Amino acid sequence: MKTQYQHPILTIRAAGLVCFWTAVLGAASGVFLAFVQPEVPENQWSYPLNVTAFTAIQVWFALQHVGLLLGLLALGWTGALGRGAVARIGHPVAVASMLGFAVTELAAIAAAHHTYDSPLVGLLGAAYGVFTIVLGAALMVEGVAVLRARVWQGWQRWIPLALGVWVFVPMLPALALSFTGARFAIAGWLLLFAALGWALMRHAEGTARINPEPRPEGRSHPSLPNPAP
C-alpha cells in the first residue's frame, strides 16, 4: 500500500493492535450472548443475563468501544482519509459517535432491572439507535474519503466503507428482528473492525520501512513485527 508519514508509527501500530484484539474478543462475546442460557425474563433489559453479569459485560462493551475508537483515531493518523472536505466531515462524527456508544454502554447499567416498557429503557434505546445510524453514515463517508485519497491500496481501502454499509445491511434489520441474529450481525461488524486493526498494523510496518523514525546515534532501532499479509 502507499504510505504517508502522519503520526508516530508505534502509536498507529499500538492502536491497530488494540483495535484488532478488542474487536476479536467483542465478536466472541457477542456469539456467547447468542447461546447463553437466559437467567431473566425476555422483557428485562439485562436479558439474557442477570444484573451482575449484565453490569460486567456492559463495562466490557464500553472498554471495547474505546478500543474501536482508537482504531478510528489511528485511521485518521495514517493520512488514509486524505485532506478533503469529506474526511473533515466524516471522521470527527465517527469518532464522536463511537465515544457516545461507549458512554451509553455504561449508562445502560442503570436500567438493568427495568423492563422494555420503562421510560429509561426507551431513552437508552433511542440513544443506541441514533448513535448506530450516525456512526454508520459517518463510516460510509470515511470510506468514500479513503477511496478518493488512494493512500491505501488493495483490500484495506475498502474496510471503512464496508464498516459503514454493514451497519445498514445487515445489522440494523437484524437488530430489529431477532436477538440472536443481532448478536451475529454485530459480531460480523466487529470482525470488520478487526480487519481495520490489522490494516493499521500493516500500514505502520510499511511506513517504518519507508520513513524510519530518527534514533539516537549509536543506538539500534527496534524493528516492528511484520504482520502476515
Side-chain angles (χ1 to χ4, degrees):
M1 71 183 77
K2 295 180 183 177
T3 59
Q4 68 184 64
Y5 187 77
Q6 295 288 329
H7 209 80
I9 54 177
L10 290 177
T11 304
I12 293 173
R13 189 183 189 283
L17 186 65
V18 172
C19 180
F20 175 82
W21 281 112
T22 53
V24 169
L25 294 174
S29 61
V31 173
F32 163 77
L33 285 176
F35 292 104
V36 69
Q37 186 69 26
E39 299 182 13
V40 297
E42 193 172 355
N43 67 337
Q44 185 167 320
W45 177 245
S46 68
Y47 179 87
L49 305 174
N50 60 43
V51 172
T52 301
F54 177 78
T55 299
I57 205 163
Q58 288 302 121
V59 171
W60 155 239
F61 286 159
L63 293 174
Q64 170 190 303
H65 281 88
V66 172
L68 305 183
L69 174 63
L70 286 175
L72 292 179
L73 289 172
L75 177 62
W77 298 338
T78 64
L81 293 170
R83 300 180 182 275
V86 173
R88 290 196 300 271
I89 294 170
H91 187 59
V93 173
V95 168
S97 299
M98 189 64 78
L99 181 60
F101 257 122
V103 174
T104 305
E105 298 289 11
L106 292 176
I109 296 171
H113 291 93
H114 293 225
T115 57
Y116 277 95
D117 57 0
S118 160
L120 179 56
V121 170
L123 182 62
L124 288 167
Y128 277 117
V130 169
F131 285 129
T132 299
I133 293 171
V134 174
L135 178 58
L139 288 170
M140 290 179 69
V141 171
E142 282 195 313
V144 171
V146 170
L147 293 176
R148 286 183 176 180
R150 299 181 182 273
V151 174
W152 280 6
Q153 303 297 315
W155 62 267
Q156 294 94 330
R157 65 195 294 255
W158 295 98
I159 295 172
L161 182 61
L163 282 166
V165 171
W166 190 275
V167 169
F168 295 99
V169 181
M171 196 162 77
L172 275 179
L175 288 170
L177 295 175
S178 165
F179 177 85
T180 301
R183 304 287 76 76
F184 282 105
I186 293 171
W189 189 58
L190 289 172
L191 291 178
L192 285 175
F193 266 102
L196 174 63
W198 193 260
L200 290 167
M201 289 188 285
R202 292 195 64 190
H203 176 96
E205 174 62 19
T207 303
R209 294 195 189 102
I210 297 170
N211 302 295
E213 292 183 310
R215 60 186 183 274
E217 188 176 350
R219 293 183 62 183
S220 60
H221 183 69
S223 60
L224 292 171
N226 181 22

